[in-house]
Amino acid sequence: MSLQLKTSATKLLALSAVFLAQPSYSEYEFGYSNNAASGGSSWGMSSTLFPLHPISGSDINGVFYRYTAVKDAGDPYTVSIQNQAADQSGYIFRSTDDWSGGSGGTIQKFVPVPYSPVGDWGDGSIEQVGVGSVEDPIVLYSYRFDPSRVQQQEIPDLPVVDVYDALSDGYVTASLEPTDRELYEDDELNKSDSEEEDDGRLEKALAAQENALTLAGNVTQSALLQAMNTATNLSTYYSAQIKGGVYQESVVLIDKNIPDNRRALRSLGQQKLHTDMVNQQYGR
């Protein structure tokens, strides 16, 4: 009897461990994707459709769609909302509506499917066969997100950085030791004497430079005035001689009498006639 109780207790503990290892229902998060058909009649199952949760931890459990079929009565027409399988083995989802017997309208459906990872779903599309068109399509995917399936990012090991301790540096401690005051004062005196000598040399150099600039300025001004006087000397223009003399007339007229221009006389006559007509018109 005790052996049977121990066996039952062991089985119960094993089942409890399996049950506890599974995520509870309250850990799941549910939601809907964005409208897959907002950009056209075909789409990919990218992360833009599931902006709230990572695809790696999401499972699709249903497809909601709505659209308006526009067609004439009697025309054959079917519309299929479908998704290829990611491994290209066929359709993982397909729902077909046959509008051949009517004149069109608006349809709204929710088609549940077994939980399957988003990664198993390939490209989706709206397939139309026959005479008609689809307006205002909406395709939404209902899904469940499991946070435990999302891989946590590991924190990289930070490198070890050696901190420099200035107080442990021998050169630093040596520079902080007290200095001999007499040597310091001697250095200051030598430094001041050398600075005075440098100042005297600098004054001499500046004085020599100023004298040189003054001399050069005087020479330059004298040369400039001489060049200006030479350019304005007009005596050379008065003494210049132009080669030439008297130019004799070389034109000889063969005909002494120049005849009148008959065309000019005719033109003057027409002008006079025009002037008389104008005067008569205005009563002059």
Side-chain angles (χ1 to χ4, degrees):
M1 185 66 179
S2 60
L3 181 59
Q4 293 179 352
L5 291 175
K6 290 182 179 180
T7 303
S8 300
T10 303
K11 292 181 179 180
L12 182 59
L13 290 175
L15 292 175
S16 300
V18 172
F19 177 77
L20 293 175
Q22 299 294 327
S24 62
Y25 181 81
S26 61
E27 294 178 355
Y28 293 130
E29 298 178 15
F30 296 87
Y32 279 94
S33 69
N34 291 334
N35 182 13
S38 60
S41 59
S42 61
W43 57 88
M45 303 297 288
S46 62
S47 58
T48 57
L49 292 181
F50 306 89
L52 300 180
H53 299 96
I55 293 179
S56 59
S58 300
D59 298 326
I60 296 176
N61 64 342
V63 179
F64 170 86
Y65 65 86
R66 182 179 66 191
Y67 64 89
T68 300
V70 180
K71 63 178 294 292
D72 295 333
D75 291 339
Y77 185 59
T78 60
V79 178
S80 298
I81 311 297
Q82 58 193 16
N83 276 85
Q84 292 279 349
D87 58 1
Q88 302 298 323
S89 60
Y91 290 105
I92 193 172
F93 172 80
R94 194 173 196 222
S95 178
T96 302
D97 302 314
D98 190 355
W99 297 88
S100 300
S103 58
T106 300
I107 189 172
Q108 177 174 306
K109 279 186 178 181
F110 178 79
V111 182
V113 297
Y115 284 106
S116 56
V118 177
D120 295 344
W121 291 60
D123 295 339
S125 62
I126 300 176
E127 184 183 65
Q128 305 175 55
V129 179
V131 181
S133 62
V134 171
E135 294 182 354
D136 303 326
I138 297 176
V139 179
L140 306 177
Y141 295 94
S142 173
Y143 68 93
R144 177 188 66 183
F145 173 67
D146 184 3
S148 64
R149 288 165 47 190
V150 179
Q151 296 180 355
Q152 300 294 333
Q153 294 183 353
E154 297 181 358
I155 300 176
D157 296 333
L158 298 177
V160 179
V161 180
D162 295 333
V163 180
Y164 172 73
D165 187 5
L167 296 178
S168 63
D169 193 336
Y171 294 99
V172 176
T173 55
S175 64
L176 296 177
E177 293 180 357
T179 307
D180 190 350
R181 186 65 182 174
E182 295 180 358
L183 294 176
Y184 178 74
E185 291 177 354
D186 293 341
D187 291 340
E188 290 293 332
L189 292 174
N190 295 332
K191 183 178 180 181
S192 61
D193 294 339
S194 61
E195 289 180 353
E196 291 178 358
E197 293 179 359
D198 293 340
D199 293 340
R201 294 175 183 175
L202 181 61
E203 291 178 359
K204 292 180 181 180
L206 292 175
Q209 182 180 5
E210 291 178 357
N211 294 333
L213 292 174
T214 302
L215 295 174
N218 294 333
V219 173
T220 304
Q221 291 179 0
S222 301
L224 181 62
L225 292 174
Q226 184 177 0
M228 292 173 63
N229 292 330
T230 303
T232 56
N233 188 7
L234 300 179
S235 60
T236 56
Y237 294 98
Y238 294 124
S239 61
Q241 296 293 331
I242 299 176
K243 296 181 181 180
V246 178
Y247 293 94
Q248 299 294 335
E249 182 66 37
S250 60
V251 179
V252 178
L253 298 178
I254 300 175
D255 297 331
K256 295 181 179 181
N257 296 326
I258 300 175
D260 296 332
N261 189 349
R262 297 182 179 275
R263 294 182 178 178
L265 294 176
R266 187 182 301 110
S267 177
L268 292 174
Q270 292 177 354
Q271 180 64 32
K272 183 176 182 307
L273 179 60
H274 175 73
T275 303
D276 293 342
M277 293 174 62
V278 172
N279 293 335
Q280 291 179 3
Q281 181 178 2
Y282 292 98
R284 297 177 182 176

